Amino acid sequence: MVESSSDQILADADKVDVAFLVVGDPFSATTHTDLLLRCRQSTPPIPVRTLPAASILTGVGCTGLSLYNFGQTVSMVFFTDNWRPMSFYDRVAENVKLGLHTLVLLDIKVKEPDLAMLARGKVVYEKPRFMSVAQCAQQLVETEEAKGEGICGAEKLVVGVARVGADDQEIVAGTLGELSEVDMGRPLHSLVLVGSRVHDLEREFVREYAVDKGTFDKAWDAQFGPGEKV
């Protein structure tokens, strides 16, 4: 909508009030930044007022992992038989070198045209799809198998979150192998790769959400060194 209809959104905005509502914080996406720039460059310029809102970029603090220790955020798209983009891997590797956590945003497919029907001249939309933590974990392991740099293998400690801020919010911690088999229910989901710059308080907090505390302790000690036993 924003990418293809920005002119329509801003039509007459210099004469009447126009409100544009988004999910999350408006400047979490460069698309919305582009919309503001178009307002500035309009003749005459269109005055803009933005209101910050809740975002997974800060909401992920519910995991107990310090927001100060998060690095670059990456996105994971649905892999297909002939399209498996792995450019995110290099960003994760950079975070790993600095010991920083990585927030992975999971793919959302809403109002996606059915390409087969489109080729027949019919506009039919596919059923909405929302990537789960389990699928993201599986794709991360697949990516590691292809890249082989030890960044996100099956033993990597991660934290999955679902429906952050809702009454049925869920948090699960464990290895990528464990989370690849976890059902966290309805969307929206996100995943965090835990970095090595961690404090014992973070360990204590996250450990309560472990799929298996014994496996969690072994993985933590192997990846980050032994901390205070809890």
Side-chain angles (χ1 to χ4, degrees):
M1 173 65 179
V2 184
E3 294 89 340
S4 60
S5 305
S6 57
D7 290 339
Q8 180 182 344
I9 294 170
L10 298 178
D12 297 323
D14 59 325
K15 304 181 184 69
V16 297
D17 291 336
V18 175
F20 184 68
L21 304 179
V22 303
V23 176
D25 190 82
F27 290 128
S28 295
T30 54
T31 301
H32 305 143
T33 302
D34 176 70
L35 197 61
L36 185 142
L37 289 174
R38 288 173 182 268
C39 291
R40 289 180 180 174
Q41 296 162 1
S42 176
T43 304
I46 300 170
V48 177
R49 181 188 177 198
T50 58
L51 300 176
S55 169
I56 189 60
L57 296 180
T58 52
V60 73
C62 67
T63 59
L65 296 172
S66 172
L67 295 179
Y68 285 100
N69 291 334
F70 275 77
Q72 302 172 83
T73 298
V74 300
S75 298
M76 174 67 77
V77 301
F78 284 107
F79 284 0
T80 66
D81 291 338
N82 53 14
W83 190 59
R84 294 172 177 256
M86 298 180 179
S87 58
F88 68 87
Y89 189 86
D90 293 336
R91 305 287 80 75
V92 177
E94 291 171 0
N95 287 345
V96 168
K97 289 178 181 177
L98 295 172
L100 301 175
H101 311 312
T102 302
L103 172 61
V104 185
L105 304 178
L106 278 52
D107 203 2
I108 298 173
K109 296 292 187 185
V110 178
K111 207 172 183 180
E112 292 285 320
D114 184 313
L115 298 181
M117 296 301 293
L118 198 60
R120 300 177 187 175
K122 297 182 179 180
V123 180
V124 177
Y125 296 106
E126 295 181 352
K127 182 180 179 180
R129 291 189 295 154
F130 303 88
M131 184 179 287
S132 67
V133 160
Q135 182 165 3
C136 178
Q138 292 164 12
Q139 292 188 182
L140 283 166
V141 173
E142 287 180 31
T143 302
E144 181 57 46
E145 291 172 351
K147 295 287 189 176
E149 296 179 23
I151 300 300
C152 52
E155 298 306 312
K156 176 67 178 176
L157 270 179
V158 295
V159 183
V161 296
R163 302 172 300 283
V164 171
D167 290 340
D168 61 344
Q169 168 181 296
E170 188 171 353
I171 304 173
V172 177
T175 65
L176 277 172
E178 288 177 319
L179 265 65
S180 67
E181 300 179 356
V182 167
D183 181 0
M184 297 189 68
R186 64 184 183 86
L188 296 168
H189 294 190
S190 297
L191 182 142
V192 179
L193 295 155
V194 181
S196 61
R197 189 183 296 179
V198 286
H199 189 276
D200 284 337
L201 289 176
E202 290 176 274
R203 173 180 181 161
E204 182 178 357
F205 198 106
V206 173
R207 187 176 184 272
E208 288 303 307
Y209 303 115
V211 174
D212 180 277
K213 288 183 171 59
T215 302
F216 177 89
D217 289 340
K218 290 179 181 178
W220 188 286
D221 290 350
Q223 293 172 40
F224 313 130
E228 294 181 7
K229 297 303 180 183
V230 290

